[in-house]
Amino acid sequence: MSTIDDTRVATPGRAAHLPGSTGATGSTESTESFRPTRPSAEALAALRRHRWYERPRWRRLCALTAVGVLLAVMTGEQGSGADLLLSLRTTFTGTALWVWIAAAVALWAVAEFGAAPRRAAASRARTVAAPLARIRPALDSRPRLRVALVVAGIAAAVFLPLLFDRSTNQVLVDWVGIYILLALGLNVVIGWAGLLDLGFVAFFAIGGYSTAFWSGQLPVKPPFELNPFLSIPVAMVTCLLAGILLGAPTLRLRGDYLAIVTLGFHEIIYLIAKNAESVTGGSQGVFGIPHFSVDLGPVQYRWGLDPLDYLWLLIGLITVLVLLFRKLLRSKIGRTWEAIREDEVAAAAHGVDTVKYKLMAFAIGASTSGIAGAVYASKVGFISPENFPLLYSVLVLAYVIFGGMGSIPGVLLGAALLAYLPHGLKDVVDQKDRFMYLGALLVVMMIYRPQGLLPAKRRRRTVRTRETS
């Protein structure tokens, strides 16, 4: 019968020993701790050559090819109810598809391998960035100049709408202004505290229905009716409490799990608004929400159908919120949010009550969404569950990422550009395809500038470090 020898098999970083054997020095060695060997540089290079498809260059090629296919579908023939596959059949059997793919591949080749175009683009970028690089230190050293520029920007935002027509101002109120408010609130949640919230528009709905309730337009009557203008702080407090109620039991979750919980919260609010007809009016919605008005003795003013009134109100609210959020970001709370976003485990190890500060960020972001809901309900005069679909939560998240997470100027710019884009394309693009152009723009943006248009300093450094590593 064979016997099993007590010999240990030699593994990388671990010597094989026989009982009673001695090492090179002549002394008996005890069991050696396991030391994993690092692969050589040649092995790593061979592995990288084997996984060529994981290189950023080829990922960009795949992404741009997908954009070419998307643009071919967007610019192709429209479908019809009689033939549901007409658009796809004509798109994928015609020559336009290959033209778009060839253009995407040519763009990729020029960007990746064209040394002269890259040098020219880099030279132009340095030429444009040189004055901007001198502006920032000048603004930091001259507070009065910074204040003057801010005042000039606010004045331009106030007086430029006088040059626009009524339909343009309507878009600036219903889409740009409202979504800037929502993006500012979501930036607190995802940009500063690092919490992935996919149900943010649920608080927008709560703010709108809160305004309808306190104005006496819901089937359930309030104990007393409030002036519509006073519904703004009431809606803000209501959404703040809703954020606390949602966040208190769930903010111990992270990442995808928190996103799923917030997604479920949105669906709960949506279904309650749609099915609780005796409370919310159901799918028919709520009519007759009054416009804002101010009655303070001799000062009396009523907002009417003119969108300019609400546009100026939104500019004032956005200005106040930006000033408050800047102070908040530079305070102890803002620094704690950044610590939690970068490494929650390390922040907790240093004694930070992470749940408390995450709950604070969640509540502040929700209250900002409540302000937007109150203004929207009073402006439109009618709300229904269909005014608050899940798509709007995704859009607000895209606006924040496009502008630059954690950056207030970036969020303002990104939300303004992307919210106005579908309406700016109304004369040249079919209504069904406008959001497809928005999607193509986001894909290209994430390929070549994932940090956003105007990213925060820390976010810019993080992205550059990942790209160079």
Side-chain angles (χ1 to χ4, degrees):
M1 180 181 294
S2 61
T3 59
I4 301 176
D5 191 8
D6 195 27
T7 304
R8 297 186 179 183
V9 180
T11 57
R14 189 175 194 176
H17 294 281
L18 295 176
S21 63
T22 59
T25 59
S27 60
T28 304
E29 296 182 1
S30 60
T31 303
E32 187 178 342
S33 61
F34 178 74
R35 296 178 181 177
T37 59
R38 297 183 61 183
S40 62
E42 292 79 6
L44 289 176
L47 182 62
R48 292 192 185 98
R49 286 193 299 269
H50 178 67
R51 296 182 178 179
W52 61 269
Y53 54 87
E54 293 185 356
R55 295 182 181 179
R57 171 180 295 173
W58 304 111
R59 289 202 298 265
R60 288 193 288 267
L61 173 61
C62 296
L64 282 178
T65 304
V67 171
V69 175
L70 178 61
L71 290 173
V73 175
M74 290 159 52
T75 56
E77 187 174 349
Q78 293 291 335
S80 64
D83 189 355
L84 298 179
L85 299 179
L86 174 64
S87 178
L88 293 179
R89 188 168 58 251
T90 56
T91 299
F92 288 100
T93 57
T95 58
L97 172 65
W98 303 108
V99 172
W100 279 111
I101 292 178
V105 173
L107 176 63
W108 169 81
V110 171
E112 298 294 337
F113 302 106
R118 282 204 306 269
R119 286 196 298 267
S123 177
R124 287 194 297 268
R126 286 192 296 269
T127 303
V128 174
L132 297 178
R134 291 193 295 267
I135 290 175
R136 184 62 181 268
L139 292 178
D140 292 338
S141 60
R142 300 178 181 177
R144 293 183 179 179
L145 179 60
R146 187 168 61 246
V147 173
L149 289 177
V150 172
V151 172
I154 296 174
V158 170
F159 292 107
L160 279 180
L162 296 173
L163 306 177
F164 302 150
D165 57 7
R166 183 185 180 90
S167 61
T168 302
N169 289 330
Q170 194 82 19
V171 172
L172 291 177
V173 174
D174 294 343
W175 288 89
V176 177
I178 295 296
Y179 277 92
I180 285 178
L181 277 179
L182 293 174
L184 284 173
L186 186 59
N187 185 51
V188 175
V189 179
I190 188 174
W192 294 349
L195 307 175
L196 183 56
D197 187 355
L198 293 181
F200 193 69
V201 171
F203 301 108
F204 182 41
I206 292 174
Y209 277 99
S210 174
T211 302
F213 171 74
W214 289 105
S215 61
Q217 304 304 315
L218 290 183
V220 178
K221 301 301 178 182
F224 53 89
E225 294 186 9
L226 291 176
N227 183 299
F229 197 77
L230 296 178
S231 65
I232 294 179
V234 173
M236 181 178 66
V237 173
T238 303
C239 290
L240 188 145
L241 295 176
I244 293 176
L245 291 177
L246 171 65
T250 61
L251 284 181
R252 289 174 175 82
L253 303 174
R254 301 179 187 176
D256 300 338
Y257 303 101
L258 179 62
I260 292 173
V261 169
T262 56
L263 186 65
F265 176 70
H266 174 273
E267 290 303 309
I268 291 173
I269 297 299
Y270 175 80
L271 292 176
I272 290 176
K274 188 172 184 178
N275 298 324
E277 297 183 358
S278 60
V279 178
T280 63
S283 57
Q284 295 182 355
V286 182
F287 295 87
I289 301 175
H291 294 293
F292 288 145
S293 62
V294 175
D295 299 314
L296 297 175
V299 179
Q300 295 185 357
Y301 188 80
R302 175 177 292 276
W303 279 253
L305 298 177
D306 189 357
L308 274 176
D309 295 338
Y310 283 93
L311 182 58
W312 289 331
L313 174 63
L314 285 172
I315 291 173
L317 292 174
I318 291 170
T319 302
V320 172
L321 286 176
V322 167
L323 294 176
L324 292 177
F325 284 165
R326 283 178 59 86
K327 294 291 185 182
L328 189 61
L329 180 61
R330 297 175 180 178
S331 65
K332 174 186 174 182
I333 297 175
R335 293 193 296 271
T336 305
W337 284 340
E338 289 187 348
I340 293 174
R341 181 193 63 200
E342 296 300 322
D343 194 333
E344 184 175 347
V345 176
H350 284 77
V352 175
D353 189 348
T354 57
V355 176
K356 169 187 171 182
Y357 283 96
K358 289 195 297 184
L359 186 61
M360 192 180 302
F362 212 74
I364 292 175
S367 62
T368 307
S369 184
I371 297 174
V375 175
Y376 179 79
S378 177
K379 162 66 178 61
V380 178
F382 164 77
I383 57 173
S384 72
E386 305 306 323
N387 293 125
F388 313 102
L390 180 63
L391 172 64
Y392 289 175
S393 291
V394 178
L395 285 178
V396 177
L397 178 60
Y399 298 164
V400 173
I401 296 175
F402 183 84
M405 288 192 300
S407 170
I408 293 178
V411 169
L412 294 176
L413 180 61
L417 290 178
L418 293 189
Y420 187 78
L421 179 63
H423 304 278
L425 297 174
K426 65 180 180 179
D427 296 330
V428 294
V429 179
D430 188 88
Q431 181 180 2
K432 301 175 183 178
D433 296 339
R434 294 174 193 170
F435 284 100
M436 297 176 70
Y437 283 85
L438 175 62
L441 178 61
L442 290 174
V443 171
V444 174
M445 184 70 181
M446 291 302 102
I447 294 173
Y448 290 104
R449 194 171 176 81
Q451 66 268 31
L453 288 178
L454 297 175
K457 292 182 180 179
R458 186 181 297 275
R459 172 73 174 168
R460 187 188 302 115
R461 288 195 297 266
T462 302
V463 173
R464 287 180 178 177
T465 302
R466 291 175 181 174
E467 290 179 348
T468 56
S469 61

